[in-house]
Amino acid sequence: MTTAEENGCHDDDHFGVAVVGGGIVGLALVTGLLHRGVRVKLYEKTSAFRPIGAGIGFTPNTQQALQLLNPGAFAAQQKVTTANGDPKNPNDWLLYLDGYSSDVEELIFKLHAGYRGFEGCVRADFLDEMLKLIPPEIIQFNKSIVDIVDPGDGAKVQMHFKDGSTAQADVVVGCDGIKSRVRKLILGESHPAAEPSYNHQYALRDVVPMDQAIEILGDFKARNRHMHLGPGGHVVTVPIAHGKMINVVALIEDPSDWPDPTQLTRKGDGQKAIEAYKDFGAPVRNLIKAMIERNPTPDLWGIFDSVDNPTPTFAKGRVCIAGDAAHATSPHHGAGAGMGIEDDLVLSTLLANVALFSKLNRAAAVGAALNAYSHVRKERSQWVAESSRVIGQVLEWRYPETMRDWEKCQAELTWRSHRIWHWDQQAMLQEAQSAFQKLLGSVE
Ligand SMILES: Cc1cc2nc3c(=O)[nH]c(=O)nc-3n(C[C@H](O)[C@H](O)[C@H](O)COP(=O)(O)OP(=O)(O)OC[C@H]3O[C@@H](n4cnc5c(N)ncnc54)[C@H](O)[C@@H]3O)c2cc1C
């Protein structure tokens, strides 16, 4: 006979958290809870972890949040991160080029990110390092959540999976991404915020070996993060894999509707991508051509976000959402995963407090913790998604306030980026703790 623990259920007496979804945000949350001694189980829909996209960069606030979440997770990021330029003397500037007007790609403005403030890595490498912090027995694959029932009498919350199995926990955190099932369960299927909206923009994402990148961009541009700007599109190139390759994200405006909104990617026609960048300078044109030569029918990634219909709450009862499930953003700040890691920091801190409560008071404490979490995280994460839309326009020279005025573009980028990067994580945690205490007081 198997025990409740072996079935993936938390037993009745011990406080246990269920994390649904093993993307960056779900895995990071698990490491944060384990670091605080909180029992946790992870339920992932797929049969193995599959990183989405090749590269990712972590902004300064994300690195601070990771360090506070679990120093091991921060060490994992530091191990795989790739310095811009020479690692002994890294280049900490984000460099913005006019990728359109000439083949020379003139530097039009730049933004300082602080010491090793914003570097790239291979997503799979980061996830592999994070997985070293997580005992495999707490992970269950092929568990696609379909329903969550909170009996409301202090008994554990019941999760129902597509394969007919069930599990229970004191709290369920949906880290199930932009198309979150848990968000729908919290808000209702027909709520306007149940589905994200298409930004009329898609991305080509690929990696290019460093030798080829140097041939196309030249040594300096290949080895340092650059944004190649122009009207109707822009390209981001970032060294990853300790300088063995670069990650390329090429964004293309799209007046059409996204054909199948249930899918985030679709097969594209490479010639259309070449066409979209045909008036750009040679470096961008050649980069796109190299990507399409290797893969003539690339995956196109629809850019969706939650800006048109922001989620009114991240929590209901003993169920909540975090990461893209709560506040999906376009990628122009490079801060989407970072917002999820800040969510994780607040959640793991508050849930570690809840774990100290007696079984009798646990349900009320969970409710207070999740409300406090939603209260503290909603405004900032939703602002980032809104601001990212603005930055997308700035980078494509179509934001009415900035257009092709580089000083204004730089000023806009600077204040918005600084608002994200220079964030007092400790003050956020204090605010969360006092909201938690206040809400607890009101239920006692
Ligand atoms: C082009 C591009 C570039 C980006 N660059 C950056 C960057 O440089 N820096 C940055 O911080 N952010 C970046 N982002 C944003 C970042 O990728 C996302 O914010 C982040 O990956 C979201 O992580 P997540 O764990 O919330 O969701 P996901 O990564 O989507 O993970 C969700 C997980 O839940 C699982 N799941 C789904 N449904 C269910 C279910 N019903 N039951 C159980 N499990 C389920 C999925 O299989 C998946 O494993 C970028 C985004 C894009 C599109």
Side-chain angles (χ1 to χ4, degrees), residues 10-16 39 156 170 357-359 362:
H10 291 286
D11 65 56
D12 260 355
D13 287 334
H14 291 99
F15 176 71
R39 289 152 66 99
K156 298 219 179 218
D170 290 282
F357 280 66
S358 70
K359 195 177 155 191
R362 216 178 266 159

Side-chain angles (χ1 to χ4, degrees), residues 14-29:
H14 291 99
F15 176 71
V17 179
V19 173
V20 176
I24 284 186
V25 175
L27 290 176
L29 177 58

Side-chain angles (χ1 to χ4, degrees), residues 10-11 18 33 47 106 112 119 188 204 211 293 316 367 381 385:
H10 291 286
D11 65 56
L33 291 165
S47 55
E106 190 192 335
H112 194 249
E119 298 174 340
L204 253 71
D211 288 353
E293 265 164 26
K316 184 178 173 193
S381 56

Side-chain angles (χ1 to χ4, degrees), residues 20-26 43-46 52 55-58 62 118 123 143-145 175-178 181 203 205 225 249 303 322-325 329 331 334-338:
V20 176
I24 284 186
V25 175
Y43 301 92
E44 165 56 41
K45 174 170 90 168
T46 56
I52 299 167
I56 190 156
F58 291 126
T62 310
F118 196 178
R123 279 183 192 239
K143 295 290 170 198
S144 177
I145 196 97
C175 301
D176 50 343
I178 190 165
R181 174 73 192 149
R205 307 166 83 173
R225 172 185 281 267
V249 178
I303 303 298
D324 278 13
T329 172

Side-chain angles (χ1 to χ4, degrees), residues 2 40 95 112 131 159 225 343 372 384 392 409 422 425 430:
T2 54
V40 55
L95 302 168
H112 194 249
L131 282 171
M159 290 167 281
R225 172 185 281 267
D343 294 346
V384 169
C409 288
H422 302 159
Q425 308 286 353
Q430 272 167 19

